[in-house]
Amino acid sequence: MNATAIGIENKVDELLACLDTDVRHIQEKLSQLNELRSLVVKRDDAALGKLLESIQVKSDSYKSNESNRQAIRKELANILGHGLEQMTLSALEASLPDAKREQVNRMKTKLKSLTEELKKEHLSTTLLLSECARFNSLLLRNVFDLGQTGAVYYNSNGATRRQADTAFVNLQF
């Protein structure tokens, strides 16, 4: 085996380790989305705050893995003579021996299924939060517009007045 092939295999091993971290990260994000939806439904503000802080801290620490993956990708592109944009897992598979090709293919399949699941869970969370916002807006609008029926009332002097006895909140002092 020549030095270039050994270098490629070492870089592929590094890339697979990095992609394994990506898999764990996506699985963690799936779990966090499920927990987020659960806490929103339960209206547990304290736990929700802790979860959001945890997400922020972990997203900052994950950036190093992303930069490592991009560096490995760039090195592999240089070694194989591909442009950085063309350096994908599929392109890498075509350049590898059978054993490494199978490992990369399994990782690619796993990442693809996890990202599809993450998209689905993200959409579900987005829809839940959108419905919560819509419901809250509707609730607030109805609470503060309760006494405003759109009808004008006149007192015995002929002056207009708002019917204050039906308002949820009486703002008169």
Side-chain angles (χ1 to χ4, degrees), residues 16-86:
L16 288 172
C18 191
L19 292 176
D20 194 46
T21 303
D22 287 339
V23 165
R24 287 191 306 275
H25 180 74
I26 292 171
Q27 289 170 336
E28 183 179 344
K29 292 302 171 192
L30 286 168
S31 172
Q32 288 173 339
L33 283 173
N34 285 330
E35 186 177 357
L36 177 70
R37 284 194 308 267
S38 172
L39 293 174
V40 166
V41 170
K42 291 177 184 176
R43 297 174 44 190
D44 188 350
D45 293 335
L48 191 58
K50 288 178 185 175
L51 175 65
L52 293 176
E53 287 175 17
S54 169
I55 289 171
Q56 181 63 39
V57 168
K58 289 179 183 176
S59 70
D60 290 341
S61 67
Y62 180 70
K63 290 178 184 177
S64 66
N65 188 62
E66 288 184 44
S67 62
N68 186 32
R69 181 177 4 91
Q70 290 302 324
I72 294 169
R73 182 177 171 222
K74 185 176 182 179
E75 290 175 21
L76 281 169
N78 289 337
I79 292 170
L80 296 173
H82 294 294
L84 186 60
E85 296 299 319
Q86 290 80 30

Side-chain angles (χ1 to χ4, degrees), residues 95-143:
S95 306
L96 295 175
D98 289 338
K100 290 291 181 188
R101 181 180 300 152
E102 184 59 36
Q103 288 177 332
V104 170
N105 188 22
R106 279 194 306 267
M107 186 60 71
K108 182 176 79 169
T109 303
K110 182 185 275 187
L111 283 168
K112 193 172 187 176
S113 69
L114 281 173
T115 54
E116 288 298 318
E117 187 178 350
L118 184 63
K119 285 179 187 178
K120 184 181 78 166
E121 294 298 323
H122 181 267
L123 178 62
S124 296
T125 304
T126 302
L127 290 174
L128 173 67
L129 294 177
S130 174
E131 281 300 304
C132 287
R134 186 185 69 78
F135 181 74
N136 286 341
S137 175
L138 182 64
L139 182 63
L140 286 173
R141 188 172 48 246
N142 285 334
V143 165

Side-chain angles (χ1 to χ4, degrees), residues 139-150 162-163 165-169:
L139 182 63
L140 286 173
R141 188 172 48 246
N142 285 334
V143 165
F144 290 113
D145 289 344
L146 187 63
Q148 297 179 5
T149 61
R162 180 174 169 242
Q163 186 177 2
D165 57 344
T166 61
F168 182 74
V169 178

